[in-house]
Amino acid sequence: MEITITKTKSPKNPPADSDLSFGNLFTDHMFLMDYDPKVGWHNARIEPYSAFHIDPSTMVLHYGQSIFEGLKAYQSDESDILLFRPQENFRRLNRSARRLCIPEIDEGFALSALRQLIEIEKAWVPKAPGTSLYIRPAVIATDPYLGVKASETYRFFIILSPVGAYYKNGFKPLKIWVSKDRVRAVRGGIGEAKTAGNYAASLFESTFAAEQGCDQVLWLDGIEHKYVQEVGSMNIFFVIDGELVTPALDGSILPGITRDSLLKHAKSNGMNAVERAISIEEVVEKAKSGQLQEAFGTGTAAIISPVGQLQYKDKEVVIGDGDVGFLTTKLYDELLKMQYGRVEDAHNWVVPAVSTALL
Ligand code: COI
């Protein structure tokens, strides 16, 4: 499919890298295409970034039929712009699409459209350490209709946002609130899809956690309120007796690409890395006995976020010495080096962001 390109007549100046935070600034252009059952995905275009004109009855506004992805473009020391496993993001977008009755996109085409967009916006890729260009592909249901059913029409779009750290305190241990009453997702629900509703479901408890002086919520399973699922909008890892442990994907947990990368990286570097059910009681006991040495969250936006303390019922559970752990720091450094192209890419995860050649 041909991509029509219309450039802005009033380009903005990209911000100074030192002014960047997360998700509040957008580049000059965006990619769009529309879906209609008669013609499929069509009208692929890159246009100046602007507001959508939508009807108040548009289905996504009422029933949340919406999916998205998050990935980043990184500026390497050699001035190349790199993407980290972008094919995985478009593959996951299609898995979310199937779960939400949204028509799938052509993954290869979406990646080449993203590359054309980044080519136009390359001046917006920040260079300072820890900064990147956050990429947000999304699909929304666009039928103007109030009956509950899958929409017939959709819009796919990609917007770009230069970002610094996700958490304003940077790489500091988080204090985590363990949610015992409210849940994010249940097996068989939509927890493993990257869809708006999962994030809406997290807001009440996150606000409550903040009122208790905590930074994020640790979610437990929706049936027994016993097994650890995710932390905030990240996957969770524990270091127990030197072994890296993360909850097994059970249908209610987002299959994070950073999660998968860390598991593979750790295993290929000779570490024991396991996916299994892990109960909150085990976490508390092993923290007490000193066997739980470290914990951290992983995600594209936040990368790796150390966890220093859990607040569970009325107990404060300190992890390790409450500070950033050795392995957390090591894995964070190694992941960043891979993403910024500073080490040999043993897994072939890093691809150029501006070449149109499909890999
Ligand atoms: C990401 O890590 O990219 C996410 O999707 C988290 C986001 C909701 C900020």
Side-chain angles (χ1 to χ4, degrees), residues 171-250:
F171 195 63
K172 296 266 169 58
L174 301 174
K175 184 173 175 190
I176 301 293
W177 173 260
V178 182
S179 175
K180 46 185 202 324
D181 301 321
R182 282 168 285 266
V183 299
R184 171 190 172 274
V186 290
R187 281 198 298 280
I190 54 170
E192 66 180 350
K194 206 158 173 66
T195 182
N198 288 326
Y199 297 81
S202 74
L203 300 178
F204 185 94
E205 195 70 357
S206 308
T207 308
F208 186 72
E211 286 163 8
Q212 316 307 310
C214 293
D215 306 292
Q216 282 284 331
V217 176
L218 180 66
W219 299 104
L220 302 180
D221 76 274
I223 297 167
E224 295 178 78
H225 294 206
K226 180 173 171 191
Y227 294 101
V228 170
Q229 285 187 328
E230 301 189 18
V231 62
S233 47
M234 300 179 287
N235 293 113
I236 180 98
F237 280 84
F238 300 97
V239 181
I240 302 175
D241 291 326
E243 186 175 71
L244 202 56
V245 183
T246 191
L249 300 177
D250 66 353

Side-chain angles (χ1 to χ4, degrees), residues 22 68 70 134 136 166 194 199 233 299-301:
F22 185 87
F68 70 92
Y134 187 76
R136 171 54 60 88
Y166 187 70
K194 206 158 173 66
Y199 297 81
S233 47
T300 301

Side-chain angles (χ1 to χ4, degrees), residues 72-76 80-84 125 131-132 339-340:
K72 284 174 172 171
Y74 307 87
Q75 180 84 59
S76 80
D80 297 322
I81 303 173
L82 306 174
L83 295 170
F84 186 73
V125 183
T131 63
S132 56
Q339 293 175 329
Y340 285 87

